[in-house]
Amino acid sequence: MTVTTFAWGLGDTTILYLILYPTFLLSTILIIAQVRVGYFLTLFTVLTYSLLLTSEVGKYLIFDFHNNVLFWVLLLPYLTFLTLIPLTVTFITANNNFAKTFKLLSIILGMGIFIFSIADRFNKDYSDNIFVDAEISEQGHINLNCKPGFADSRTFIVTTDLKEIEEQIKKYGEFYQGSYFLQNTKIKKNFHFSKLQSITLIRIDDKIISPQITWTTKEIKGDVDFLQP
């Protein structure tokens, strides 16, 4: 998993992943040498790994569960880390009067982290960039033909009559053959688990749209499969 991080990175947390890897190796060596601090290092490492991976695992379980590669490089290490939480706590608290309580709490913590990775997707927003071909009629009716990119055939259509949106499209769009091309249009997508609920127009390029307009799935016509995270 850490080697995979070198290849595609995980945003601002990439460095943290790479620092945790040698820390995990060091803690393993210390445990083999029967140095007690090794258990604390292991607990810190597996807790940090588990929390960092929770978002990615939730996305995998909801949207990419068919991806066998991610099972080996993401889900399996994640489950291993969660399993190591109660095991490590058991070793640390072996001679403690409340050992059973600590063990139970650590099991609940591990299960809670896993459950949260799924529950977090119940109502979650995602951002995306799309290409929009906007058509404005003489009456001010606006058709927004939305695609992943300019030459892509996958399209969905949303409409609006808001005068403010018309003004901003004309101001920030590129007029070509009767339409306004809106490059790098940023939208917010709301999903309940894997089911799309709505999309919200946020930006045209780097210009913030005001007011931000939202369409529910009932108001969207066309192919929306490409909107899945």
Side-chain angles (χ1 to χ4, degrees), residues 16 20 23 38-50 88:
L16 184 54
L20 285 173
T23 304
Y39 293 107
F40 289 97
L41 273 179
T42 297
L43 182 59
F44 167 77
T45 305
V46 297
L47 277 172
T48 308
Y49 263 132
S50 298
T88 308

Side-chain angles (χ1 to χ4, degrees), residues 33-102:
Q34 297 184 350
V35 178
R36 185 173 172 79
V37 71
Y39 293 107
F40 289 97
L41 273 179
T42 297
L43 182 59
F44 167 77
T45 305
V46 297
L47 277 172
T48 308
Y49 263 132
S50 298
L51 294 174
L52 286 173
L53 287 173
T54 293
S55 179
E56 293 298 322
V57 168
K59 181 180 176 182
Y60 164 71
L61 292 173
I62 300 301
F63 297 106
D64 300 314
F65 196 64
H66 60 279
N67 191 326
N68 294 327
V69 174
L70 286 180
F71 172 84
W72 297 104
V73 302
L74 179 62
L75 184 61
L76 186 59
Y78 179 73
L79 294 176
T80 303
F81 296 143
L82 293 181
T83 304
L84 280 172
I85 293 174
L87 287 177
T88 308
V89 169
T90 299
F91 278 101
I92 292 174
T93 62
N95 299 319
N96 192 289
N97 293 331
F98 301 99
K100 290 184 178 180
T101 302
F102 283 118

Side-chain angles (χ1 to χ4, degrees), residues 115-131:
I115 292 171
F116 176 78
S117 70
I118 301 174
D120 182 48
R121 302 284 160 169
F122 170 69
N123 184 13
K124 196 170 184 65
D125 292 331
Y126 308 83
S127 61
D128 201 356
N129 288 321
I130 60 173
F131 173 85

Side-chain angles (χ1 to χ4, degrees), residues 2 5-6 8-20 52:
T2 302
T5 301
F6 278 108
W8 51 277
L10 286 170
D12 296 334
T13 60
T14 299
I15 297 299
L16 184 54
Y17 276 99
L18 301 183
I19 292 175
L20 285 173
L52 286 173

